[in-house]
Amino acid sequence: MIIYFNFFSFCVEIVDTRGAKKSRALSFDSHYADCKDFKSIIDNTIRGGVREELARESHIVVLPDFIIGVGLISVPYSLFKKEENFVTKFNLLYDRDSSLVCDKHIICNKGGITTYAFSAVKKSYLFQISSAFSDMGITINGFTFYSKLLSQYVSTNLSHKANAIVFDRGEKLSIYGMVRDVPVGQMHLPEREDDVATDYLQSVISSKGKKMESDISLKLKTKDMALCAISDFEDYYSSSGITFDRKFNLTSLDICEKVSIDREEVLRLASSCRLMGKKRCLGR
C-alpha cells in the first residue's frame, strides 16, 4: 500500500494498490504537522485503527513536500566525473551535511555545464517514520514525495514530456515546476495572508543551509496574486535557463490550462518510482 502524509488536509491517506481503488483518510491534529511530529501522527492514526492490516505487508511512504528541499546545482561537464563534481558542489553548499538523504537527476547538458535537479530530506525524518512503523510491526520499503509523483503523472498520464508548471489554488497557493518527469521547484503560500515573502527552496536544513541568493517576493495584495506568483516563479527559473512550455491549472480559477488530475492515481505511481533512502537509513 501507499501511505501519504498529507499536510494540506492534515490526514494520513492510505491507498490500496491491489486492484480496485480503495483509499482511506485518517485525520490528525494540525499541530503535529506544524511541528513535523511524525511519530505522534502515526500513533494517533495507525495504532488504533489499521495497524493489524498494515502489518501484513510492506509499504511505501509518500512524504509531504514541506519537508523536502528541491533545487538546482550546475557543475562543469565531465564524462567520467559527473558524480564527483555534483557531490563536491553539494558538499560546498551544504557544509558536507551528512544528515541529509539526496536524490538527483541530470536535467540539462549545455555549453560545457551539467545541471542537476536535486531533492533532499533529513535522515531523521525517515528514521522517525520507519521506527514508529517498525514498533507496530509494519515494514516500510522506502520513501518518495508528492511533487515527484505529480511530475511523473504529468509526464505519463497527461503525455507532456517537456517542461511544465502545475498550479493549484487549494488549501494553499501551490506552484510546482517540473522538467519532463523531474521536479525542479515548488512553492506553497498561504492564501489569506496579505504580505508574504518566501524562498523558492523549502529548506530542510536549519543552521547549516545556505539560502538562495534570490528570494521570490510576491505582491499578494494585488488582485492578480496567482498570476504574479506564477510570473515570479517563471522568472526565477528563466535565469537558470529553464522555460516552461505549458501551465496546468488544477482549480476552477480561470488561468492556465484547466486539467483534471486524479490524486489517487498520482499516489499509486509510488509503487513504480525510484525511492529515496537506502536501507541503512531506515533501520535502527
Side-chain angles (χ1 to χ4, degrees):
M1 294 188 189
I2 311 300
I3 302 173
Y4 171 41
F5 290 89
N6 186 338
F7 277 20
F8 282 124
S9 301
F10 308 118
C11 66
V12 176
E13 296 183 27
I14 301 175
V15 178
D16 196 330
T17 58
R18 300 167 298 184
K21 289 186 178 182
K22 181 183 177 184
S23 63
R24 283 161 289 181
L26 309 175
S27 299
F28 58 82
D29 193 294
S30 61
H31 166 74
Y32 296 131
D34 294 338
C35 58
K36 302 178 180 64
D37 185 354
F38 289 98
K39 184 179 187 307
S40 293
I41 292 173
I42 293 168
D43 285 343
N44 283 275
T45 58
I46 304 298
R47 187 177 295 280
V50 295
R51 183 185 66 80
E52 291 186 4
E53 180 184 353
L54 294 181
R56 297 179 192 139
E57 57 183 289
S58 57
H59 312 280
I60 297 171
V61 168
V62 178
L63 301 168
D65 288 327
F66 295 107
I67 67 168
I68 301 291
V70 179
L72 302 175
I73 285 182
S74 295
V75 297
Y77 172 79
S78 172
L79 182 61
F80 303 106
K81 293 185 177 181
K82 290 193 283 288
E83 178 82 14
E84 181 180 325
N85 288 348
F86 173 85
V87 171
T88 300
K89 183 70 171 288
F90 188 85
N91 286 341
L92 179 65
L93 289 172
Y94 297 105
D95 196 23
R96 296 185 177 274
D97 195 334
S98 61
S99 70
L100 299 174
V101 172
C102 181
D103 188 27
K104 64 185 183 302
H105 298 267
I106 294 176
I107 60 170
C108 181
N109 277 313
K110 187 176 181 181
I113 299 296
T114 299
T115 299
Y116 289 83
F118 74 89
S119 52
V121 62
K122 285 184 177 180
K123 290 180 183 178
S124 59
Y125 291 137
L126 308 189
F127 179 78
Q128 183 185 155
I129 294 169
S130 58
S131 295
F133 278 120
S134 179
D135 289 342
M136 298 182 190
I138 298 170
T139 302
I140 300 301
N141 278 344
F143 298 84
T144 184
F145 56 100
Y146 183 77
S147 58
K148 180 176 181 179
L149 301 181
L150 184 63
S151 300
Q152 291 182 331
Y153 184 96
V154 170
S155 179
T156 55
N157 294 51
L158 298 184
S159 300
H160 184 63
K161 307 295 183 183
N163 306 345
I165 285 178
V166 174
F167 169 83
D168 185 8
R169 196 167 191 171
E171 291 90 345
K172 288 182 180 289
L173 171 63
S174 298
I175 303 172
Y176 303 91
M178 50 200 69
V179 173
R180 299 178 296 279
D181 61 347
V182 178
V184 296
Q186 51 179 280
M187 187 161 62
H188 308 282
L189 301 175
E191 281 276 26
R192 290 175 292 275
E193 291 192 13
D194 292 330
D195 187 19
V196 176
T198 182
D199 294 342
Y200 106 96
L201 176 61
Q202 290 283 341
S203 178
V204 293
I205 311 162
S206 53
S207 59
K208 293 183 180 179
K210 297 181 179 180
K211 290 185 178 180
M212 307 300 293
E213 292 180 358
S214 175
D215 288 350
I216 296 178
S217 298
L218 303 178
K219 307 171 186 68
L220 296 186
K221 291 182 179 179
T222 70
K223 63 180 180 179
D224 294 323
M225 173 183 67
L227 290 174
C228 179
I230 292 174
S231 176
D232 280 354
F233 194 88
E234 287 186 281
D235 288 346
Y236 180 89
Y237 284 96
S238 66
S239 66
S240 299
I242 296 175
T243 57
F244 298 103
D245 307 285
R246 290 174 74 179
K247 303 178 187 68
F248 297 105
N249 173 28
L250 306 187
T251 59
S252 58
L253 213 62
D254 188 23
I255 59 174
C256 307
E257 181 179 347
K258 186 73 172 69
V259 296
S260 176
I261 289 182
D262 188 327
R263 278 177 36 79
E264 191 169 302
E265 287 301 316
V266 171
L267 295 176
R268 284 171 177 267
L269 291 175
S271 60
S272 59
C273 79
R274 189 173 83 178
L275 301 177
M276 299 181 73
K278 305 295 184 182
K279 282 293 183 182
R280 65 177 178 271
C281 300
L282 311 183
R284 292 186 178 283

